[in-house]
Amino acid sequence: MIRLLPFFALIAAPAAAQDCADGQRPFDHAGGTTCIPDDPQRIIGLHDQSVTLALIEMGAPVVGSHGRLDDDGNPYMRSVDLIFGLDFESSDIAFIGAFDAMDFEAIAAAQPDLIIGRAFFDIETRAQYEALAPAVFIENDPKDQLAFSRGVADAAGALDRWEDMHATYRANVDRARAAFPQADGATYGKIQMHDGQLQVYAGYGGLTMVLGDLGFQRIPVAQEMANRGVVWGEEVSLEILPQVEADYLFDTYTIAYGDTLSDPRARFDAALPSWCDALTACAEGRYIVLPREMSTDYSFRQLDMLLHLVTTHVARVPAPS
């Protein structure tokens, strides 16, 4: 008996094993090579903050997205709602599930012609996605912080748009560096107090990229983490607080969780009342609190906003030369 493979399984099969049909092209990704539409019209993003955010910024046609549930059980797309003013109710984007609870029936109902996910997380269940539509899984590159968003844009057929926005961002960086040469070589620490534990970060997504592009340098304890391959941060002893000294200290508050601008400092004050006096940057007003939703990802709108926020704070309270 001859078994006929499902139609979508044929589409999603590695392009190396077959030629792509008219209107499709081979696309290399973490899962191999897959035939995808030249001009996809119904795309699903398997992660709101990274995939869906990039797709919306590029003007790609998104019909479904991963999301999160608030305390009342209502789904939302983190950062997408704050940056682009879109949610599942105000857009044509369908909610297709949250972490570890993807709704494959909802994905099928959205009739996608392309599914885009992350290599590290979503590829584990690739067969279930590939049974519904061509699915690609984009990798992060520690040496190229924009490789992921570039890959998403490429899969969506929006690479030209990505290149234009990238060129604009680079021009904005050049202008900022010319306006604020004091940032070049200035040291910074990204810190956070969580449940009484001091956290120091080697990297913090878009914020780390913007600070590096402006010429800032990590404090030694954070650079040592980065040298060990730490991508984000680690909990450290409060005893190493003096090693966190820097020209500028950055912290973040989370709008989605109901944080206010004063909450990050309040958490430090509760855990270690004398912390600010012990760090010159804080005592002299160079402890800078930014919204986390604007700080961790790499959409060009976020990066441009970070450029503006960082340079504004640096100009307001310059570090001693």
Side-chain angles (χ1 to χ4, degrees):
M1 178 180 292
I2 298 176
R3 293 186 61 195
L4 297 179
L5 292 175
F7 173 71
F8 282 122
L10 289 172
I11 292 178
Q18 66 180 67
D19 294 329
C20 293
D22 290 343
Q24 295 186 333
R25 63 185 173 102
F27 185 82
D28 295 332
H29 60 104
T33 304
T34 299
C35 291
I36 66 173
D38 289 328
D39 184 24
Q41 295 299 305
R42 301 187 63 81
I43 305 174
I44 280 182
L46 296 182
H47 187 253
D48 51 2
Q49 272 187 295
S50 55
V51 181
T52 304
L53 188 67
L55 289 169
I56 291 172
E57 182 166 67
M58 296 300 115
V62 183
V63 297
S65 175
H66 151 278
R68 301 151 200 260
L69 300 176
D70 63 20
D71 292 339
D72 296 323
N74 300 311
Y76 68 98
M77 292 176 282
R78 187 173 179 187
S79 294
V80 174
D81 53 354
L82 296 173
I83 296 173
F84 293 106
L86 294 176
D87 56 35
F88 293 112
E89 292 185 356
S90 66
S91 71
D92 294 327
I93 301 174
F95 173 58
I96 54 91
F99 290 115
D100 298 324
M102 287 299 192
D103 186 340
F104 290 95
E105 291 186 1
I107 295 175
Q111 298 181 317
D113 59 5
L114 179 63
I115 298 172
I116 302 178
R118 302 160 297 165
F120 184 72
F121 295 96
D122 305 311
I123 201 169
E124 295 178 359
T125 50
R126 61 178 295 183
Q128 292 172 275
Y129 298 118
E130 290 173 338
L132 300 174
V136 298
F137 304 92
I138 311 300
E139 289 187 283
N140 286 308
D141 183 351
K143 297 181 180 179
D144 182 356
Q145 293 161 308
L146 293 181
F148 185 88
S149 67
R150 185 190 301 113
V152 171
D154 188 7
L159 193 55
D160 288 346
R161 169 81 168 153
W162 188 95
E163 295 288 359
D164 289 343
M165 298 185 81
H166 181 235
T168 299
Y169 168 72
R170 294 309 315 175
N172 288 338
V173 168
D174 291 342
R175 284 189 283 268
R177 290 192 70 132
F180 299 97
Q182 64 267 38
D184 194 20
T187 59
Y188 79 92
K190 168 60 184 80
I191 59 174
Q192 178 177 303
M193 187 67 71
H194 180 70
D195 289 339
Q197 290 291 321
L198 174 61
Q199 298 178 340
V200 176
Y201 287 83
Y204 208 74
L207 177 60
T208 299
M209 177 178 169
V210 167
L211 291 171
D213 286 345
L214 288 172
F216 284 85
Q217 297 179 359
R218 295 181 182 95
I219 55 176
V221 64
Q223 186 59 53
E224 188 275 331
M225 289 180 189
N227 293 344
R228 288 192 281 108
V230 177
V231 176
W232 289 92
E234 293 180 339
E235 288 188 352
V236 298
S237 169
L238 291 175
E239 295 178 356
I240 78 157
L241 189 68
Q243 299 179 40
V244 178
E245 187 66 89
D247 292 322
Y248 294 91
L249 294 172
F250 291 89
D251 202 344
T252 55
Y253 69 104
T254 309
I255 298 171
Y257 296 164
D259 260 359
T260 67
L261 188 62
S262 62
D263 285 335
R265 176 162 182 165
R267 286 189 279 269
F268 268 98
D269 290 342
L272 192 64
S274 61
W275 78 279
C276 190
D277 293 334
L279 295 174
T280 304
C282 183
E284 296 183 355
R286 286 176 275 111
Y287 168 67
I288 299 169
V289 179
L290 303 175
R292 189 170 303 170
E293 285 82 357
M294 307 300 178
S295 304
T296 56
D297 289 294
Y298 299 98
S299 77
F300 290 112
R301 184 170 296 190
Q302 287 169 303
L303 297 177
D304 284 334
M305 291 177 71
L306 282 169
L307 271 176
H308 171 74
L309 291 169
V310 170
T311 53
T312 299
H313 281 288
V314 169
R316 183 181 62 84
V317 190
S321 57

